[in-house]
Amino acid sequence: MTHKNPQTREWQTLSNDHHLAPFSDFKQLKEKGPRIITHAKGVYLWDSEGNQILDGMAGLWCVAIGYGRDELAEAASKQMRELPYYNLFFQTAHPPVLELSKAIAEVAPEGMNHVFFTGSGSEGNDTMLRMVRHYWAIKGQPNKKTIISRVNGYHGSTVAGASLGGMTYMHEQGDLPIPGIVHIPQPYWFGEGGDMSPEEFGIWAANQLEEKILELGVDNVGAFIAEPIQGAGGVIIPPDSYWPRIKEILAKYDILFVADEVICGFGRTGEWFGSDFYDLKPDMMTIAKGLTSGYIPMGGLIVRDEVVAVLNEGGDFNHGFTYSGHPVAAAVALENIRIMREEKIIQRAHEKAAPYLQKRLRELSDHPLVGEVRGVGLLGAIELVKDKATRARYEGRGVGMICRQFCFDNGLIMRAVGDTMIIAPPLVISEAEIDELVTKARKCLDLTLSVLEG
Ligand code: PXG
């Protein structure tokens, strides 16, 4: 490939010689060379060749407040000068982590007033697993160990995270899942609902939780973990019947409910948390990504007061990370939340960007390749099919990847999960930028169709 900028080739050589990229085919990446992203502003990225790209994925579901907010850089710089690092292990604390804990408690659902900090969402879910088991042990029920999760859920890439997740291609590498984690079907009507109506299928999928609890015995089940809306799995929005039925089941059995809010949290659905959107009452919520708008790594676990009351009776919780509550990350998160609140970013997304995006996206339903458009807040999915009526796919054609490449080449980042195209732009996207996103998406759908017909 020829490059306008000679440095592009140099950077690609560095990639080939020294870098191992996450979730990548190393050999294939060497042949192709990565695209080098050099800077960003608002909802736009620029690559080393000078191309401007509309980032329909907010980085990787992270950059809620948009790129280029100097206030976050200032907050980091100030904190680095004042106290760049100190640990929280040995009965010490520092102002940023304490102020951040309070700010999170203020925006979290009622009764969720305590936060355990980690460096990522995966570590948040590892923390969850250990905390759930510790909790039941303190309560004298050490057998309540098993965590129920869902097929095609995503909960991270550490050993516990990948085990909790229901991605079989991850389980295949490294002998996962670890014992004590089981999966039930996902509420993915478009892909798996067959002849059932969405409502019927939602009830069926929710009932799988009850069946699994009964099969394992409630005395062996510690928790159920789920994303309010599955993100990496393909923006899977459960049928309306799903969460109400799950709530009934959770109310019936004495197990903890963990909402993985790593993607849904901090405004993605147009509410602070996906749990607010669906009125879930979780005992724990995993957070990351939007917590800092991705400007710096940070994750955590928000814990309900009643759970903390039990943990308080258990002595030491022998768990923590060097970077738990890192002061610079905490200062950045605090500034991010301050901006979100003061500029009413979530409220404005809820009132303006979200309805506009959802309306414009649904206009793509008339495209011959599109079997369904769905979305909530600033999340969207477009299902690519051969036959709209039967929801049949172009089997084996890699349609999603073809479309994704056209998007890349035409200045739009839109992800492909199989043949589902997904978007999650920054919450601050404007109406004009949404217009651009939808126009580019339609063009890429046309280009994809022409390849399939050609
Ligand atoms: N839970 C959820 C719901 C996530 O989406 C994690 C946990 C793990 O967070 P960390 O910070 O450890 O990565 C995630 C992460 C994708 C993709 O392909 C999504 C994630 C990570 C990597 C790729 O959409 N989400």
Side-chain angles (χ1 to χ4, degrees), residues 348-377:
R348 283 168 54 196
H350 178 93
E351 287 165 7
K352 289 201 135 168
Y356 190 68
L357 175 72
Q358 297 304 335
K359 171 173 144 301
R360 296 274 359 243
L361 265 189
R362 277 170 184 69
E363 292 170 15
L364 297 172
S365 304
D366 67 2
H367 194 280
L369 249 188
V370 175
E372 179 180 85
V373 177
R374 59 175 179 268
V376 151

Side-chain angles (χ1 to χ4, degrees), residues 260-418:
D260 186 333
E261 295 270 4
V262 168
I263 283 179
C264 291
F266 296 93
R268 193 49 53 207
T269 64
E271 305 287 341
W272 273 94
F273 294 93
S275 296
D276 299 321
F277 183 82
Y278 286 116
D279 190 28
L280 310 176
K281 299 266 184 289
D283 298 294
M284 298 178 182
M285 300 200 307
T286 323
I287 53 172
K289 297 190 188 275
L291 166 62
T292 60
S293 281
Y295 279 56
I296 200 162
M298 183 175 235
L301 189 67
I302 313 181
V303 186
R304 182 167 291 287
D305 298 347
E306 287 88 336
V307 175
V308 175
V310 172
L311 297 173
N312 284 343
E313 302 306 313
D316 277 359
F317 179 40
N318 298 316
H319 177 86
F321 303 100
T322 303
Y323 299 127
S324 284
H326 190 285
V328 180
V332 171
L334 196 56
E335 184 63 9
N336 178 56
I337 293 174
R338 184 193 69 73
I339 289 175
M340 281 190 169
R341 292 168 96 176
E342 276 187 25
E343 298 181 9
K344 300 190 170 27
I345 283 176
I346 296 173
Q347 193 181 327
R348 283 168 54 196
H350 178 93
E351 287 165 7
K352 289 201 135 168
Y356 190 68
L357 175 72
Q358 297 304 335
K359 171 173 144 301
R360 296 274 359 243
L361 265 189
R362 277 170 184 69
E363 292 170 15
L364 297 172
S365 304
D366 67 2
H367 194 280
L369 249 188
V370 175
E372 179 180 85
V373 177
R374 59 175 179 268
V376 151
L378 287 171
L379 282 168
I382 305 167
E383 296 282 5
L384 307 185
V385 294
K386 190 170 179 184
D387 184 329
K388 284 174 186 268
T390 61
R391 317 202 291 271
R393 306 280 190 185
Y394 282 95
E395 293 298 338
R397 298 288 300 271
V399 182
M401 293 307 271
I402 296 172
C403 185
R404 188 185 81 161
Q405 191 60 45
F406 279 125
C407 292
F408 240 64
D409 295 342
N410 285 279
L412 172 66
I413 302 269
M414 179 155 73
R415 279 272 317 280
V417 176

Side-chain angles (χ1 to χ4, degrees), residues 3-282:
H3 297 295
K4 285 186 253 166
N5 176 3
Q7 256 195 312
T8 301
R9 190 68 226 144
E10 285 171 31
W11 280 320
Q12 288 179 335
T13 304
L14 294 182
S15 163
N16 292 355
D17 291 351
H18 302 294
H19 185 224
L20 298 175
F23 275 98
S24 299
D25 176 333
F26 299 149
K27 188 163 157 229
Q28 190 196 46
L29 188 62
K30 259 192 215 287
E31 282 153 15
K32 201 169 162 212
R35 188 167 190 167
I36 311 294
I37 305 298
T38 53
H39 58 286
K41 182 87 189 161
V43 301
Y44 292 103
L45 305 164
W46 282 265
D47 69 13
S48 58
E49 296 291 280
N51 297 306
Q52 181 175 338
I53 310 155
L54 200 169
D55 186 3
M57 281 305 298
L60 198 54
W61 324 83
C62 299
V63 190
I65 66 169
Y67 295 99
R69 292 295 302 242
D70 282 340
E71 300 92 326
L72 271 60
E74 300 290 332
S77 157
K78 184 167 173 281
Q79 188 58 46
M80 277 197 190
R81 287 169 217 281
E82 226 161 82
L83 180 73
Y85 178 74
Y86 199 70
N87 75 73
L88 306 167
F89 279 50
F90 308 117
Q91 303 191 347
T92 57
H94 48 65
V97 80
L98 302 174
E99 284 165 27
L100 177 61
S101 304
K102 171 168 176 272
I104 293 173
E106 281 168 0
V107 299
E110 218 189 310
M112 303 196 73
N113 289 304
H114 298 79
V115 194
F116 191 105
F117 288 101
T118 66
S120 67
S122 301
E123 290 174 10
N125 282 327
D126 276 58
T127 300
M128 176 285 291
L129 183 136
R130 300 200 63 210
M131 194 182 275
V132 164
R133 291 179 177 174
H134 182 51
Y135 167 90
W136 288 115
I138 296 167
K139 286 182 66 126
Q141 294 169 275
N143 289 336
K144 281 175 81 72
K145 276 193 185 122
T146 301
I147 318 270
I148 301 176
S149 180
R150 300 183 302 179
V151 172
N152 199 37
Y154 190 84
H155 300 296
S157 213
T158 51
V159 169
S163 295
L164 289 162
M167 307 287 184
T168 44
Y169 58 90
M170 291 177 77
H171 294 166
E172 280 160 11
Q173 297 175 337
D175 216 2
L176 303 177
I178 53 172
I181 294 173
V182 297
H183 299 84
I184 58 171
Q186 58 178 334
Y188 181 28
W189 175 79
F190 189 86
E192 298 171 4
D195 293 336
M196 282 187 247
S197 70
E199 296 315 290
E200 286 165 352
F201 180 70
I203 297 289
W204 177 86
N207 284 342
Q208 301 307 304
L209 175 62
E210 182 162 40
E211 288 188 18
K212 188 56 85 177
I213 294 170
L214 294 173
E215 176 195 321
L216 296 165
V218 68
D219 293 342
N220 298 313
V221 180
F224 171 56
I225 182 170
E227 300 157 83
I229 292 169
Q230 286 155 262
V235 180
I236 290 161
I237 300 171
D240 290 344
S241 56
Y242 183 76
W243 281 117
R245 177 72 189 119
I246 290 277
K247 279 167 62 179
E248 283 172 17
I249 296 166
L250 290 170
K252 210 161 135 189
Y253 300 97
D254 190 19
I255 66 173
L256 296 173
F257 173 49
V258 184
D260 186 333
E261 295 270 4
V262 168
I263 283 179
C264 291
F266 296 93
R268 193 49 53 207
T269 64
E271 305 287 341
W272 273 94
F273 294 93
S275 296
D276 299 321
F277 183 82
Y278 286 116
D279 190 28
L280 310 176
K281 299 266 184 289

Side-chain angles (χ1 to χ4, degrees), residues 411-434:
L412 172 66
I413 302 269
M414 179 155 73
R415 279 272 317 280
V417 176
D419 289 347
T420 312
M421 304 310 296
I422 57 175
I423 56 155
L427 305 184
V428 295
I429 190 168
S430 71
E431 295 195 355
E433 289 158 348
I434 290 171

